[in-house]
Amino acid sequence: MKSATEILQRAGIVTTRQRVVLLDRLLRRTDHPDAERLLAEARDGMPSISVDTVYRTLNLFAEAGVIQRMAVPTRRARFDGCTDPHDHFLCSDCETIQDVPRPPERSAAIPAPVSACGIVSDVQTVYVGVCRRCAAQKR
Amino acid sequence: MKSATEILQRAGIVTTRQRVVLLDRLLRRTDHPDAERLLAEARDGMPSISVDTVYRTLNLFAEAGVIQRMAVPTRRARFDGCTDPHDHFLCSDCETIQDVPRPPERSAAIPAPVSACGIVSDVQTVYVGVCRRCAAQKR
DNA sequence: ACCCTGAATCAGATTTATTCCGAAAGAGGT
DNA sequence: ACCTCTTTCGGAATAAATCTGATTCAGGGT
């Protein structure tokens, strides 16, 4: 796996300590955190990092395609450090998000009616439901 | 097409003037509005309807499956009155959302790794990109 | 039709998520 | 090391959604 610094340089993004820390933390997580959680994460090891920097940086990364701003019906924005094509399962109860593989037949081409709308730069599929843990707890 | 009142009754939701107006407006639109726009819409014809009622009602409807809270990476929540399976194209520039058909092979079964996560109640796919109009304007 | 009761709505205050602003600090080039 | 432009910080501001407590309404019973 490539290092955070390497990824930023390759994307033509100026590397600052804050940016490297944030990207590094996000790459190490598989739970698709929100800005608040990333701020908390980053603050151990860099206590002075500000809220604004987190939001600004996440926007910058998402814009540059280094990370993904997720398409999910949650209040807070969620982010994914993995940009390889895959899908997500969102628990509507506890709001945890799990990765699921994308069936190969779907990874193929973009359907014609979609291309007719414009230039597609990102495709996201989310399965919304109740996860096993929440289902078990409910009874 | 069924009337708003009819849909609500069938879903076991008590019908109030506000609920009928909101659902009716949403069903008549194809632009996947946010709460603010629906409030404005509802207010001509019912000037006294409150912000709170709009949010509360949309949550109720979404919970009941009467409408869909959309999975999109936008600041404001967006809603869809059409619950037949279909996908969406979101312009990251102007944030308009267009309906696109869902390829039949995908309407079929839920992949096994997804079912393993929990009980799926909703599947959403969004294609994010730049729409024709925005692309044209850019040069 | 009228009354009753629990549920729904209203207006305004409050919370939560994100962005803006101006001053201070940092990155990369010379 | 110095300069210039960019980035960050901290706090204030904005925007989106929810809560609160008093009032109104829907629908069932008489």
Side-chain angles (χ1 to χ4, degrees), chain A residues 14-16 35 51-52 55 59 75-77:
Chain A
V14 172
T15 59
T16 66
V51 182
D52 183 57
Y55 280 103
N59 285 342
R75 179 90 185 268
R76 305 143 95 98

Side-chain angles (χ1 to χ4, degrees), chain B residues 34-50:
Chain B
D34 55 31
E36 191 181 37
R37 175 152 278 296
L38 276 168
L39 173 64
E41 274 284 311
R43 278 201 167 149
D44 61 53
M46 179 177 284
S48 71
I49 192 169
S50 73

Side-chain angles (χ1 to χ4, degrees), chain B residues 101-130:
Chain B
R102 176 171 299 179
E105 70 271 19
R106 185 132 47 77
S107 309
I110 298 206
V114 177
S115 309
C117 293
I119 309 299
V120 175
S121 54
D122 187 24
V123 181
Q124 297 196 47
T125 295
V126 59
Y127 299 87
V128 185
V130 178

Side-chain angles (χ1 to χ4, degrees), chain B residues 5-65:
Chain B
T5 311
E6 211 177 334
I7 292 173
L8 292 180
Q9 283 172 346
R10 221 165 278 205
I13 293 175
V14 170
T15 57
T16 66
R17 257 172 334 119
Q18 290 83 346
R19 288 176 180 173
V20 172
V21 166
L22 281 170
L23 182 53
D24 185 64
R25 300 281 167 157
L26 184 51
L27 289 174
R28 278 169 162 45
R29 307 193 129 253
T30 60
D31 65 345
H32 316 85
D34 55 31
E36 191 181 37
R37 175 152 278 296
L38 276 168
L39 173 64
E41 274 284 311
R43 278 201 167 149
D44 61 53
M46 179 177 284
S48 71
I49 192 169
S50 73
V51 184
D52 183 58
T53 296
V54 172
Y55 281 104
R56 203 167 9 77
T57 303
L58 289 171
N59 285 343
L60 173 73
F61 288 175
E63 201 70 29

Side-chain angles (χ1 to χ4, degrees), chain A residues 1 4 19-34 38 41 58 61 66-68 78-82:
Chain A
M1 195 213 266
R19 288 174 180 174
V20 172
V21 167
L22 281 170
L23 182 53
D24 185 64
R25 300 281 167 157
L26 184 51
L27 289 174
R28 278 170 164 44
R29 305 193 131 251
T30 61
D31 66 344
H32 316 85
D34 55 30
L38 277 168
E41 274 284 310
L58 289 172
F61 288 176
V66 166
I67 67 173
Q68 192 178 49
R78 304 282 289 260
F79 298 90
D80 193 342
C82 173

